[in-house]
Amino acid sequence: MTLGQRICQYRKQLNISQEELGDRLGVSRQAVSKWETDLSVPDMNNLLALAREFGISVAELTETPEKTDTDEADSVPPLPIQAPAKGRSTWKKVLIAIFVLFILFLAGFLLNPRNTEQFTAGTAEETTNIADLVKSPTTDFALVLDWTETGDFLQLGEQTGTYPFETPLPQDAKMVVTKEDNGAELHTVDCLDEAGIRLTYSHLDGQPDTILKLETDYKELSTPRGIHVGSTKAEVVGAYGTDLVYCVKEDGSNLLAAHNYFYAYQPKDAYSNSICFFMEDGLVAGIRVENMLDAGNEAYSVNNITRFPIQSSGDPDYSNRQDIYQEPIDTTRRVYIAWNQLVTNENLSAEEQYAYRRDVFTNLPDMDWQEFGELGSTIDNFTTSEAFMSWLAGQESYSDSEILRIQWGCTAKGLDGAYSESYDEILCSALFYDPVTYAKMLAYPNVMDDKTRWHAITGAVFYGELFPEKEADAAETLDAVIDTNALTAEENAWAKLLRYYLATPSKDGGFGDYPKTPAELESLQNG
């Protein structure tokens, strides 16, 4: 049984979840999950804490045999058997004589010049053969393929021959080639699944190929100083010292590994070469070795804003921290930032996704659509807003609160003309997703006025007329709950009004003479 399986077994014996165990230890649920699936190993502090929670010793948890008194006694070598005193002097004389003869023979051999030359030549030849078999990186900026028997490695800089550069990397690996301005080809070879490494090298006819970047998220590759995925924070700091720079979390959609922060190693004599150790829950989650090219030796220099010197413990030294002045973020900008994170950042945790999605929907009623369009990078402001509306309408599901915010947001500032027509698609998507909840949210107390509720109905139904079958299905769904115990009296009244609009086609796309409240509908029906 592996260590991860034992952690899982003891946790289940306590009848607690991974999240609860993580809370007790002060780590994340993801860290516990990685331990239990053997993707990473807890450090000694966490092992001690786990053993304490499980009520066992560290030796029991790790299945390390503990020495007992019996074991210690057994390990003591037996006393030598004393030889009889008789004849001991004779044997001693014989042994001394043999030793003296051996010394004389060895001295004669070494004093012969021909023997000395043969001995020296043989030793040199053996040393040369060993050197030919065992090679090692000549720089810190390399990755050793620990899964190979001969310790093959790749390092930044010019290479001998062509890919795979005298290593057993697969010849048929996925490769993407792009053209540089200087005519060189940039080859990115992805062997992460097959060999745990991704490399980028430059190829120019007549010139040696040059490796520019090496990346791994696989445990069986290491730096020349022995750091690999799964190494602890203390091990990284112990290997590279205070030359490391603490860097805040990277954002983007093409990240090597999820991480909380990363260490960058780029001493002055490294010029543009660098190593980045991406850290998650105190362990290395990924390693990137890269030539920073034009960024040079300043790529990861301390700026006390996003990059900081470290203390001996590896924690960032914030003593000279500088906070960038930021303008207050208004509601519209907050929505824009949250939406951009959701559509561009594939590295978001579930908690971060929830928080950004909440920011989007919560602020819909108070945002300014004209201002939103100006935040985009396109010349046409409507293009940015239209892209956002398309995203809103294309969601696979909506919570009750999100449906309420969508309805409430139909009269937001700047939502007129073409913007209003596009927003109708969002209303319609929410209605078709769950007609009953849509009706319930219309009746939600102390949020929308009757005018906003009416716009939420007419906008959804107007766009829905493009899909008559879906409108008929929505009406049938409402029929099944109207005048039942599934709805309150207020919800039932708004469900009837919504049902009326779904079943009564508009007149040239207008609903001007339709009842606008449940009371008007009741008056109309009672004639």
Side-chain angles (χ1 to χ4, degrees):
M1 183 181 292
T2 67
L3 174 59
Q5 290 170 334
R6 289 192 294 278
I7 294 173
C8 181
Q9 177 182 343
Y10 284 118
R11 175 181 62 78
K12 289 181 178 179
Q13 288 178 2
L14 292 178
N15 195 29
I16 60 176
S17 65
Q18 291 179 341
E19 185 172 2
E20 183 175 347
L21 178 58
D23 290 341
R24 294 185 183 185
L25 301 179
V27 301
S28 68
R29 181 196 64 76
Q30 291 88 342
V32 175
S33 175
K34 286 187 176 182
W35 294 342
E36 294 186 354
T37 54
D38 293 309
L39 291 177
S40 65
V41 179
D43 60 22
M44 182 52 67
N45 288 333
N46 284 321
L47 282 174
L48 291 170
L50 284 166
R52 184 170 60 250
E53 289 294 333
F54 297 151
I56 58 176
S57 69
V58 173
E60 288 178 285
L61 179 60
T62 59
E63 286 192 351
T64 303
E66 294 183 291
K67 286 189 176 181
T68 63
D69 294 340
T70 303
D71 295 334
E72 292 176 358
D74 291 343
S75 66
V76 177
L79 293 173
I81 300 175
Q82 296 293 329
K86 184 178 179 180
R88 184 181 299 174
S89 175
T90 301
W91 279 108
K92 185 181 295 185
K93 291 177 181 179
V94 173
L95 290 173
I96 291 173
I98 293 172
F99 178 73
V100 170
L101 288 173
F102 174 75
I103 294 299
L104 291 173
F105 171 79
L106 182 61
F109 177 84
L110 293 176
L111 289 173
N112 188 323
R114 187 170 63 180
N115 289 338
T116 303
E117 290 173 3
Q118 291 176 350
F119 180 78
T120 305
T123 304
E125 183 179 351
E126 291 175 6
T127 303
T128 302
N129 290 339
I130 292 173
D132 288 340
L133 291 174
V134 181
K135 297 181 179 179
S136 59
T138 59
T139 171
D140 263 328
F141 305 98
L143 286 178
V144 181
L145 312 180
D146 295 327
W147 49 267
T148 62
E149 294 182 358
T150 53
D152 293 305
F153 64 91
L154 290 167
Q155 64 184 29
L156 299 184
E158 294 184 352
Q159 304 298 305
T160 301
T162 59
Y163 175 84
F165 308 120
E166 301 180 343
T167 69
L169 295 181
Q171 293 277 3
D172 58 349
K174 180 181 178 182
M175 183 180 296
V176 177
V177 181
T178 57
K179 203 79 170 180
E180 298 288 280
D181 292 339
N182 62 356
E185 293 177 347
L186 205 60
H187 295 242
T188 299
V189 188
D190 193 339
C191 307
L192 285 172
D193 292 335
E194 302 92 337
I197 191 170
R198 181 167 62 205
L199 63 145
T200 301
Y201 67 92
S202 176
H203 170 79
L204 185 63
D205 290 341
Q207 300 292 330
D209 288 347
T210 302
I211 292 182
L212 302 175
K213 186 192 299 184
L214 301 166
E215 300 172 284
T216 185
D217 57 1
Y218 184 48
K219 189 173 183 178
E220 297 302 319
L221 279 83
S222 62
T223 68
R225 300 195 189 189
I227 300 302
H228 54 79
V229 169
S231 292
T232 65
K233 167 184 172 181
E235 289 170 335
V236 175
V237 175
Y240 291 90
T242 53
D243 280 329
L244 292 169
V245 174
Y246 179 98
C247 305
V248 299
K249 176 181 176 180
E250 282 190 347
D251 290 322
S253 59
N254 192 33
L255 295 180
L256 173 65
H259 60 283
N260 310 121
Y261 62 93
F262 67 97
Y263 291 119
Y265 175 73
Q266 193 184 33
K268 291 182 178 179
D269 58 0
Y271 302 104
S272 57
N273 291 336
S274 66
I275 310 177
C276 292
F277 301 99
F278 296 92
M279 308 296 295
E280 184 177 42
D281 300 325
L283 301 175
V284 176
I287 302 173
R288 182 175 68 209
V289 185
E290 184 175 12
N291 184 332
M292 302 307 294
L293 301 176
D294 293 342
N297 201 236
E298 301 299 313
Y300 296 110
S301 60
V302 171
N303 60 15
N304 287 307
I305 299 173
T306 58
R307 301 187 295 271
F308 303 89
I310 66 167
Q311 306 173 48
S312 58
S313 63
D315 293 333
D317 179 1
Y318 289 137
S319 58
N320 294 311
R321 182 170 188 167
Q322 301 176 30
D323 292 322
I324 302 176
Y325 172 74
Q326 295 182 341
E327 297 180 2
I329 300 177
D330 62 15
T331 300
T332 303
R333 186 176 294 273
R334 184 175 291 110
V335 173
Y336 183 81
I337 292 172
W339 171 56
N340 267 274
Q341 286 292 324
L342 288 169
V343 298
T344 64
N345 192 347
E346 297 178 0
N347 197 38
L348 295 177
S349 65
E351 292 81 3
E352 289 171 326
Q353 290 180 26
Y354 171 81
Y356 283 128
R357 188 178 176 98
R358 180 192 59 205
D359 281 350
V360 167
F361 285 94
T362 299
N363 292 293
L364 282 178
D366 300 315
M367 65 176 287
D368 184 332
W369 283 90
Q370 301 293 335
E371 179 187 336
F372 185 92
E374 296 171 358
L375 296 175
S377 58
T378 59
I379 298 176
D380 180 7
N381 294 345
F382 181 66
T383 302
T384 300
S385 298
E386 189 174 38
F388 178 46
M389 289 182 176
S390 179
W391 180 85
L392 288 169
Q395 297 303 295
E396 294 182 357
S397 63
Y398 303 95
S399 67
D400 292 6
S401 174
E402 288 171 350
I403 291 176
L404 174 62
R405 301 289 177 170
I406 288 173
Q407 293 175 345
W408 191 6
C410 71
T411 55
K413 185 178 180 181
L415 199 57
D416 50 23
Y419 286 98
S420 179
E421 293 179 6
S422 295
Y423 197 87
D424 289 344
E425 181 182 1
I426 305 170
L427 293 166
C428 183
S429 295
L431 169 61
F432 287 165
Y433 172 72
D434 190 343
V436 175
T437 298
Y438 200 91
K440 287 182 176 182
M441 293 303 102
L442 288 171
Y444 201 89
N446 304 319
V447 174
M448 296 179 284
D449 57 25
D450 286 348
K451 181 179 179 181
T452 302
R453 291 185 174 102
W454 182 71
H455 279 295
I457 293 175
T458 56
V461 173
F462 172 74
Y463 193 87
E465 289 183 348
L466 297 173
F467 311 95
E469 292 183 0
K470 289 186 176 182
E471 282 204 336
D473 291 341
E476 288 184 12
T477 301
L478 291 174
D479 285 337
V481 297
I482 288 175
D483 293 330
T484 68
N485 294 329
L487 304 174
T488 65
E490 187 72 11
E491 291 170 348
N492 195 69
W494 283 100
K496 286 183 176 180
L497 183 61
L498 178 59
R499 168 68 177 77
Y500 175 84
Y501 275 77
L502 287 169
T504 311
S506 65
K507 299 175 181 179
D508 299 325
F511 300 96
D513 55 351
Y514 281 44
K516 294 179 175 57
T517 64
E520 290 184 13
L521 175 63
E522 184 178 2
S523 176
L524 176 66
Q525 291 176 336
N526 292 336

